[in-house]
PDB file of all heavy atoms in Angstrom:
ATOM      1  N   GLY A 100      53.505 202.656 213.357  1.00  0.00           N
ATOM      2  CA  GLY A 100      52.603 203.642 213.931  1.00  0.00           C
ATOM      3  C   GLY A 100      51.577 204.177 212.955  1.00  0.00           C
ATOM      4  O   GLY A 100      50.983 205.218 213.212  1.00  0.00           O
ATOM      5  N   LEU A 101      51.372 203.503 211.838  1.00  0.00           N
ATOM      6  CA  LEU A 101      50.361 203.972 210.901  1.00  0.00           C
ATOM      7  C   LEU A 101      49.001 203.475 211.338  1.00  0.00           C
ATOM      8  O   LEU A 101      48.852 202.351 211.825  1.00  0.00           O
ATOM      9  CB  LEU A 101      50.657 203.466 209.488  1.00  0.00           C
ATOM     10  CG  LEU A 101      51.956 203.957 208.865  1.00  0.00           C
ATOM     11  CD1 LEU A 101      52.136 203.340 207.489  1.00  0.00           C
ATOM     12  CD2 LEU A 101      51.954 205.469 208.752  1.00  0.00           C
ATOM     13  N   SER A 102      47.988 204.292 211.158  1.00  0.00           N
ATOM     14  CA  SER A 102      46.644 203.884 211.539  1.00  0.00           C
ATOM     15  C   SER A 102      46.074 202.930 210.504  1.00  0.00           C
ATOM     16  O   SER A 102      46.525 202.882 209.365  1.00  0.00           O
ATOM     17  CB  SER A 102      45.737 205.114 211.672  1.00  0.00           C
ATOM     18  OG  SER A 102      45.638 205.755 210.420  1.00  0.00           O
ATOM     19  N   GLU A 103      45.066 202.172 210.914  1.00  0.00           N
ATOM     20  CA  GLU A 103      44.388 201.251 210.008  1.00  0.00           C
ATOM     21  C   GLU A 103      43.587 202.052 209.000  1.00  0.00           C
ATOM     22  O   GLU A 103      43.131 203.157 209.281  1.00  0.00           O
ATOM     23  CB  GLU A 103      43.447 200.331 210.805  1.00  0.00           C
ATOM     24  CG  GLU A 103      44.174 199.365 211.707  1.00  0.00           C
ATOM     25  CD  GLU A 103      44.953 198.342 210.908  1.00  0.00           C
ATOM     26  OE1 GLU A 103      44.433 197.842 209.900  1.00  0.00           O
ATOM     27  OE2 GLU A 103      46.092 198.050 211.296  1.00  0.00           O
ATOM     28  N   PRO A 104      43.388 201.512 207.771  1.00  0.00           N
ATOM     29  CA  PRO A 104      42.569 202.223 206.796  1.00  0.00           C
ATOM     30  C   PRO A 104      41.147 202.373 207.306  1.00  0.00           C
ATOM     31  O   PRO A 104      40.631 201.509 208.021  1.00  0.00           O
ATOM     32  CB  PRO A 104      42.603 201.338 205.558  1.00  0.00           C
ATOM     33  CG  PRO A 104      43.361 200.115 205.912  1.00  0.00           C
ATOM     34  CD  PRO A 104      43.897 200.259 207.282  1.00  0.00           C
ATOM     35  N   ARG A 105      40.517 203.489 206.952  1.00  0.00           N
ATOM     36  CA  ARG A 105      39.146 203.730 207.382  1.00  0.00           C
ATOM     37  C   ARG A 105      38.195 202.813 206.643  1.00  0.00           C
ATOM     38  O   ARG A 105      38.387 202.532 205.473  1.00  0.00           O
ATOM     39  CB  ARG A 105      38.752 205.178 207.124  1.00  0.00           C
ATOM     40  CG  ARG A 105      39.549 206.154 207.935  1.00  0.00           C
ATOM     41  CD  ARG A 105      39.039 207.546 207.800  1.00  0.00           C
ATOM     42  NE  ARG A 105      38.603 207.839 206.428  1.00  0.00           N
ATOM     43  CZ  ARG A 105      38.032 208.962 206.048  1.00  0.00           C
ATOM     44  NH1 ARG A 105      37.805 209.890 206.924  1.00  0.00           N
ATOM     45  NH2 ARG A 105      37.685 209.158 204.816  1.00  0.00           N
ATOM     46  N   GLN A 106      37.172 202.352 207.335  1.00  0.00           N
ATOM     47  CA  GLN A 106      36.134 201.544 206.736  1.00  0.00           C
ATOM     48  C   GLN A 106      35.032 202.454 206.235  1.00  0.00           C
ATOM     49  O   GLN A 106      34.723 203.474 206.845  1.00  0.00           O
ATOM     50  CB  GLN A 106      35.565 200.544 207.755  1.00  0.00           C
ATOM     51  CG  GLN A 106      36.574 199.534 208.244  1.00  0.00           C
ATOM     52  CD  GLN A 106      37.034 198.604 207.124  1.00  0.00           C
ATOM     53  OE1 GLN A 106      36.252 198.227 206.274  1.00  0.00           O
ATOM     54  NE2 GLN A 106      38.292 198.261 207.127  1.00  0.00           N
TER      55      GLN A 106
END
Side-chain angles (χ1 to χ4, degrees):
L101 297 178
S102 63
E103 292 293 318
R105 295 187 322 175
Q106 297 294 323

